[in-house]
């Protein structure tokens, strides 16, 4: 598969391919030069309201993932997701995030949706 997730704080690797930052906010303490981000589609990230709701501990991850998937059907987000799908078809893509646990974040939803397209 040509999609992987890495922390934006990790140094870039030669096999990263297209580096896509999938966080709405720029990560603290990382310069744009050091991050070497190729694309930053903010409209693909969870809304501010959803992000705050989840980080406040107001609901389980499964509900967050369901709500985020619903947000991804909005026209702008769907168009950006299609663009990332196209990037994946062309070669390796690395989704960059500041999240410590990508398994319980929006990146897991993105990877699942992108992997489904690869099958």
């Amino acid at each position: 598969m040509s999609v992987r997730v890495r922390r934006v704080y990790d140094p870039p690797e030669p096999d990263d391919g297209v580096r896509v930052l999938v966080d709405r906010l720029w990560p603290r303490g990382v310069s744009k030069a050091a991050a070497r981000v190729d694309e930053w589609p903010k409209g693909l990230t969870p809304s501010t309201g959803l992000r705050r709701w989840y980080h406040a501990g107001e609901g389980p991850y499964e509900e967050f993932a369901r709500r985020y998937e619903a947000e991804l059907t909005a026209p702008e987000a769907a168009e950006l997701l299609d663009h990332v799908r196209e990037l994946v078809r062309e070669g390796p893509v690395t989704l960059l995030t500041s999240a410590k646990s990508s398994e319980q974040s929006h990146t897991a939803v993105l990877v699942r949706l992108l992997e489904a397209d690869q099958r």
Side-chain angles (χ1 to χ4, degrees), residues 74-95:
E76 178 189 6
E79 185 177 318
L80 291 168
L81 184 57
D82 285 342
H83 174 67
V84 174
R85 285 180 173 123
E86 183 60 34
L87 293 174
V88 170
R89 282 191 284 276
E90 294 172 3
V93 171
T94 298
L95 304 179

Side-chain angles (χ1 to χ4, degrees), residues 18-70:
V18 179
R19 293 169 55 86
V20 180
L21 179 62
V22 292
D23 289 347
R24 185 165 295 264
L25 305 174
W26 188 263
R28 295 178 190 216
V30 177
S31 71
K32 291 186 179 187
R36 290 202 6 227
V37 170
D38 297 309
E39 301 204 16
W40 186 17
K42 293 179 195 176
L44 184 63
T45 64
S47 66
T48 299
L50 180 58
R51 184 174 46 80
R52 288 181 178 162
W53 173 84
Y54 182 57
H55 290 296
E58 296 182 27
Y61 174 75
E62 293 74 19
E63 177 65 15
F64 166 79
R66 187 190 66 72
R67 290 181 184 192
Y68 179 45
E69 280 192 58

Side-chain angles (χ1 to χ4, degrees), residues 65-115:
R66 187 190 66 72
R67 290 181 184 192
Y68 179 45
E69 280 192 58
E71 287 186 354
L72 290 172
T73 64
E76 178 189 6
E79 185 177 318
L80 291 168
L81 184 57
D82 285 342
H83 174 67
V84 174
R85 285 180 173 123
E86 183 60 34
L87 293 174
V88 170
R89 282 191 284 276
E90 294 172 3
V93 171
T94 298
L95 304 179
L96 301 170
T97 183
S98 60
K100 291 179 183 174
S101 172
S102 63
E103 298 83 21
Q104 293 288 302
S105 77
H106 65 290
T107 55
V109 174
L110 290 173
V111 168
R112 182 170 39 79
L113 293 173
L114 293 169
E115 282 180 342

